[in-house]
Coordinates of all heavy atoms in Angstrom, one line a residue:
A228 N 144.6 76.0 51.6 CA 145.2 76.2 52.9 C 145.3 77.7 53.2 O 145.2 78.1 54.4 CB 146.6 75.6 52.9
V293 N 146.0 73.6 62.6 CA 146.4 74.9 62.2 C 147.8 75.2 62.6 O 148.6 75.7 61.9 CB 145.5 76.0 62.7 CG1 145.9 77.4 62.3 CG2 144.0 75.7 62.4
M294 N 148.2 74.8 63.9 CA 149.5 75.1 64.4 C 150.6 74.3 63.8 O 151.7 74.8 63.6 CB 149.5 74.8 65.9 CG 148.5 75.6 66.7 SD 148.2 75.0 68.4 CE 149.8 75.1 69.1
E295 N 150.3 73.1 63.3 CA 151.4 72.2 62.8 C 151.3 72.0 61.3 O 152.3 72.3 60.6 CB 151.4 70.9 63.5 CG 151.6 71.0 65.0 CD 151.5 69.6 65.7 OE1 151.2 68.6 65.0 OE2 151.7 69.6 67.0
Q296 N 150.1 71.6 60.8 CA 150.0 71.4 59.4 C 149.9 72.6 58.5 O 150.1 72.6 57.3 CB 148.8 70.5 59.1 CG 149.0 69.1 59.7 CD 147.9 68.1 59.3 OE1 147.6 68.1 58.1 NE2 147.3 67.4 60.2
R297 N 149.6 73.8 59.1 CA 149.5 75.0 58.4 C 150.4 76.1 59.0 O 150.2 77.3 58.9 CB 148.1 75.5 58.4 CG 147.1 74.6 57.6 CD 147.4 74.6 56.1 NE 146.6 73.6 55.4 CZ 146.9 72.4 55.0 NH1 148.2 71.9 55.4 NH2 146.1 71.6 54.3
S298 N 151.5 75.7 59.6 CA 152.4 76.6 60.3 C 153.1 77.5 59.4 O 153.5 78.6 59.7 CB 153.4 75.8 61.2 OG 154.2 75.0 60.3
Q299 N 153.2 77.1 58.1 CA 153.9 78.0 57.1 C 153.0 79.2 56.7 O 153.5 80.2 56.2 CB 154.3 77.2 55.9 CG 153.1 76.7 55.0 CD 152.7 75.3 55.4 OE1 152.5 75.0 56.6 NE2 152.5 74.5 54.4
Y300 N 151.7 79.1 57.1 CA 150.8 80.2 56.7 C 150.3 81.0 57.9 O 149.9 82.2 57.7 CB 149.6 79.6 55.9 CG 150.0 78.8 54.7 CD1 149.6 77.4 54.7 CD2 150.6 79.3 53.6 CE1 150.0 76.7 53.6 CE2 150.9 78.6 52.5 CZ 150.6 77.2 52.5 OH 150.9 76.5 51.4
Y301 N 150.2 80.4 59.0 CA 149.6 81.0 60.2 C 150.5 81.0 61.4 O 151.2 80.1 61.7 CB 148.3 80.3 60.5 CG 147.3 80.3 59.3 CD1 147.2 79.2 58.5 CD2 146.6 81.4 59.0 CE1 146.3 79.1 57.4 CE2 145.8 81.4 57.9 CZ 145.6 80.3 57.1 OH 144.8 80.3 56.0
K332 N 150.1 86.6 59.2 CA 149.9 85.2 59.6 C 148.9 85.0 60.6 O 148.3 83.9 60.8 CB 151.3 84.6 60.1 CG 152.3 84.5 59.0 CD 153.6 83.8 59.5 CE 153.4 82.4 59.8 NZ 154.7 81.7 60.2

Side-chain angles (χ1 to χ4, degrees):
V293 182
M294 296 166 63
E295 297 176 359
Q296 297 189 44
R297 294 295 177 262
S298 60
Q299 68 270 45
Y300 304 117
Y301 303 100
K332 295 183 70 175

